[in-house]
Amino acid sequence: MRGPRPPRLLDVRRLPVFLAAHDPEAAHLPLEEIARRSHELPADRGAPLAVWDPDPGRRARTVRALRARGYRAAFALHRAPGARREAVSGPARRRLWTANTWLRACWPQIEAGLGARIAAGHARALDLACGTGRDAVWLAERGLHVEAVDRLPDALERAGDLAARCGVTLSLQRRDLERDSALPQGRYDLVTCFCFLHRPLLDAVPAALRPGGFACVRTFDRTERERSGRPRRARLVLEPGELRRR
């Protein structure tokens, strides 16, 4: 039987102080930016988070903010972490967020199929309903040229900010995909779409791929809706076997 998960270390000091010296295992998210950058927190809200700031008031405020967002296992450290590890300077080497689990599971197959195009710098990806950009940034870090599309300007702004912090570039496009579901034909090596369903858009994906390209799609189905009650509208869920047929 597995033991309890070790906590992940979250340093919430202000950026200049963090850059000067920090524990090499620490992720960084300043207290003042948690609300704006909540998409950089773990997707698993049950994940234990150990919060560090030398100011006990800032530690306590951070824990309250995290618990208000559902991170019930967040707790404050009362002494500096990493006493046995040498401090490092510069940007954080760890992060709390990652890409969609289905994308990560499919990535070895995608990488094997697109490896030559990625190495040549020619691989192009389209992330539909990209939200705050975690999947798009993750793909860009792996060498793909990524077009990220969403209808919400604040989501695209956050995606651009995340890309800049991670040292990559995205082509951001604001578009309502339910109103405009047309896709250019034969343009992409990879099309991704998660937690969003518009059937005319889904039908347009195969023709948007280059020969040998991949579509990586995962969204809500009827079984999940019956279990969780989400999403509320039935038209937003897949019927059994529908995605494979399409």
Side-chain angles (χ1 to χ4, degrees):
M1 186 173 64
R2 293 181 180 179
R5 289 175 292 177
R8 302 171 75 176
L9 176 58
L10 174 58
D11 191 320
V12 298
R13 294 177 295 165
R14 293 178 175 87
L15 181 60
V17 181
F18 178 86
L19 292 176
H22 59 266
D23 188 290
E25 296 300 314
H28 181 236
L29 186 55
L31 167 60
E32 295 78 10
E33 299 183 25
I34 285 177
R36 184 172 63 86
R37 294 169 56 186
S38 59
H39 53 289
E40 297 180 42
L41 292 168
D44 178 7
R45 294 177 185 269
L49 291 174
V51 173
W52 169 246
D53 188 295
D55 183 332
R58 287 175 59 86
R59 292 197 302 265
R61 285 163 54 200
T62 301
V63 169
R64 288 197 298 269
L66 291 171
R67 289 181 177 176
R69 293 182 176 275
Y71 293 91
R72 299 298 181 186
F75 64 96
L77 292 174
H78 299 291
R79 62 179 63 182
R84 299 181 182 179
R85 295 189 291 265
E86 184 175 353
V88 297
S89 60
R93 302 179 182 183
R94 298 287 185 267
R95 60 176 55 154
L96 301 176
W97 66 272
T98 188
N100 184 278
T101 54
W102 183 237
L103 176 58
R104 287 185 284 123
C106 294
W107 179 247
Q109 182 181 354
I110 295 169
E111 185 179 34
L114 301 180
R117 300 183 204 180
I118 294 173
H122 297 155
R124 185 175 295 276
L126 173 65
D127 187 19
L128 297 167
C130 68
T132 51
R134 288 170 295 197
D135 302 317
V137 168
W138 193 86
L139 289 170
E141 289 180 322
R142 281 149 184 79
L144 287 84
H145 301 281
V146 185
E147 298 175 24
V149 183
D150 203 278
R151 69 180 181 87
L152 299 176
D154 59 332
L156 292 174
E157 182 181 357
R158 292 185 183 190
D161 288 345
L162 182 61
R165 279 192 293 276
C166 294
V168 297
T169 301
L170 303 177
S171 175
L172 300 171
Q173 302 175 20
R174 183 185 177 189
R175 179 149 61 105
D176 186 337
L177 292 166
E178 291 189 341
R179 293 179 178 271
D180 181 7
S181 57
L183 300 177
Q185 294 194 2
R187 177 175 173 83
Y188 304 104
D189 300 290
L190 171 64
V191 176
T192 60
C193 186
F194 303 112
C195 301
F196 177 79
L197 177 61
H198 180 57
R199 288 171 174 83
L201 179 68
L202 198 62
D203 292 339
V205 167
L209 292 168
R210 294 172 179 168
F214 293 84
C216 187
V217 179
R218 190 173 194 178
T219 191
F220 305 101
D221 62 17
R222 190 174 68 188
T223 301
E224 184 172 5
R225 181 171 181 263
E226 291 171 351
R227 181 178 66 250
S228 68
R230 299 180 59 193
R232 294 181 179 179
R233 291 179 287 180
R235 69 177 180 83
L236 298 180
V237 300
L238 291 164
E239 295 298 318
E242 180 182 0
L243 184 58
R244 182 177 295 277
R245 291 194 302 271
R246 287 180 178 273

